[in-house]
Amino acid sequence: YSVLSKAGSILGYVARIYKDLHMHKLSKDTPKAKTYWINKKDTTPSLAFPYHKPLNYVNKNYVLVEDIPSAIRIARHVPSVALLGNRIPENSLNFLSAYHIFIILDADATSQSIALAKKYSLFFQSCKIIAIDLDPKNMSEDALRKNIIDKIV
């Protein structure tokens, strides 16, 4: 996947390991993905903005998700960004501080969502967690609307 800046320029790439397709046995500690930065400055937030048409959206909300496909699905409805993992990069706090933040991590990372909200909520206008059972990238359009979008707009 390409890692895009808010303006749409390529900052790097994410390489993903699909353990089911890998020829050699991988340990459980093998990372699922690795980010390679190529055009990123130190002051650029370490976030992946999904490519999408600009929304006629006036609220100052931003949805934080783990991966690029989930960010793309949500960005069709509300502004979203991929964290490229389950932590908030410190160099992105200045950008995110202007927004009401919704943290939506994968179902197996709900406790990490709570920890992130506790640690960083004072940096944002507000901070809420939306717990989900299925990754946004795997949800039907109806489930996405019911479980995520309707809770934000």
Side-chain angles (χ1 to χ4, degrees):
Y1 298 104
S2 299
V3 177
L4 302 178
S5 70
K6 188 169 185 194
S9 60
I10 294 176
L11 298 175
Y13 299 92
V14 174
R16 179 146 175 91
I17 294 174
Y18 292 96
K19 294 180 181 184
D20 298 347
L21 301 175
H22 206 274
M23 295 172 64
H24 305 289
K25 183 158 176 74
L26 300 172
S27 75
K28 65 179 180 179
D29 297 329
T30 302
K32 292 191 280 186
K34 173 82 172 126
T35 305
Y36 298 94
W37 299 103
I38 56 172
N39 294 320
K40 187 179 151 317
K41 297 177 183 166
D42 290 341
T43 57
T44 305
S46 298
L47 301 169
F49 291 85
Y51 175 78
H52 64 281
K53 293 179 182 174
L55 300 166
N56 291 332
Y57 190 77
V58 294
N59 289 341
K60 298 274 290 186
N61 297 337
Y62 242 98
V63 177
L64 309 183
V65 295
E66 285 187 51
D67 56 74
I68 295 170
S70 293
I72 291 170
R73 284 292 311 282
I74 292 172
R76 295 177 186 161
H77 305 278
V78 294
S80 67
V81 68
L83 297 173
L84 304 175
N86 57 10
R87 63 176 199 78
I88 299 174
E90 304 243 338
N91 68 356
S92 66
L93 292 174
N94 190 37
F95 166 75
L96 295 171
S97 67
Y99 297 98
H100 300 279
I101 300 298
F102 292 83
I103 299 173
I104 305 174
L105 300 185
D106 295 350
D108 61 345
T110 302
S111 61
Q112 184 67 24
S113 297
I114 294 167
L116 289 174
K118 283 183 180 179
K119 183 174 182 180
Y120 294 111
S121 63
L122 292 177
F123 286 97
F124 312 130
Q125 298 298 313
S126 67
C127 183
K128 295 181 181 172
I129 298 165
I130 298 177
I132 54 174
D133 294 328
L134 190 63
D135 294 350
K137 65 181 171 259
N138 298 325
M139 287 183 181
S140 69
E141 195 62 29
D142 288 340
L144 184 74
R145 221 171 240 301
K146 178 184 174 191
N147 296 313
I148 296 175
I149 306 307
D150 290 348
K151 294 178 180 180
I152 296 170
V153 293

